[in-house]
Amino acid sequence: MRQICFVIAAFAGLLGATGVGAAAAAAHLGGGHLLDTAATFLMIHSAAVLALVALAQRRPRRSKGVFVAAAFLLIAGMVLFCGDFALRALAGHALFAMAAPSGGLLLICGWLAAAMAAALTAFSARGEENAITG
């Protein structure tokens, strides 16, 4: 699982760098609001993926999976949502029909999974605390 976390972190780094490149292209090539939105989403969500991986590393193996699943959902969402926006801005056509809405739904699911992972961690930590002090 540790190796998977580092692979996810590597993808997040690449997607974050792509976001910086897309922001530069939007500023200098005139990609418009679609490319600017893709750049912003890539940078913000890449940072979130890195945070999820860091949190996953601090959890026991049994609860690590929810953090990793949230990170995977965010990565898949970024690829579809931002990829579609960037392709529309730079090439004038969509990635495929419903790519951006599908990617947006994956991003929402990723954020919800992150919230669920945090809540599960908080409640399991509270239960462990009560058992220790109890």
Side-chain angles (χ1 to χ4, degrees):
M1 183 72 81
R2 185 173 169 87
Q3 186 175 1
I4 290 172
C5 286
F6 284 110
V7 170
I8 292 170
F11 273 110
L14 290 172
L15 290 169
T18 302
V20 174
H28 299 291
L29 299 178
H33 73 280
L34 287 175
L35 192 56
D36 191 47
T37 299
T40 301
F41 269 59
L42 284 167
M43 289 184 280
I44 290 170
H45 289 86
S46 293
V49 168
L50 289 173
L52 287 169
V53 169
L55 288 169
Q57 292 295 319
R58 307 279 303 168
R59 297 304 310 150
R61 187 170 179 84
R62 67 178 185 269
S63 60
K64 214 178 262 198
V66 184
F67 284 103
V68 170
F72 271 124
L73 286 168
L74 289 178
I75 286 174
M78 280 189 280
V79 169
L80 291 178
F81 185 84
C82 299
D84 187 67
F85 272 28
L87 203 56
R88 286 174 191 264
L90 298 172
H93 62 84
L95 185 60
F96 59 85
M98 299 298 290
S102 299
L105 182 61
L106 288 171
L107 289 170
I108 292 167
C109 289
W111 282 108
L112 291 173
M116 185 173 65
L120 289 172
T121 299
F123 289 120
S124 70
R126 192 172 135 206
E128 290 169 10
E129 243 177 54
N130 289 340
I132 293 171
T133 60

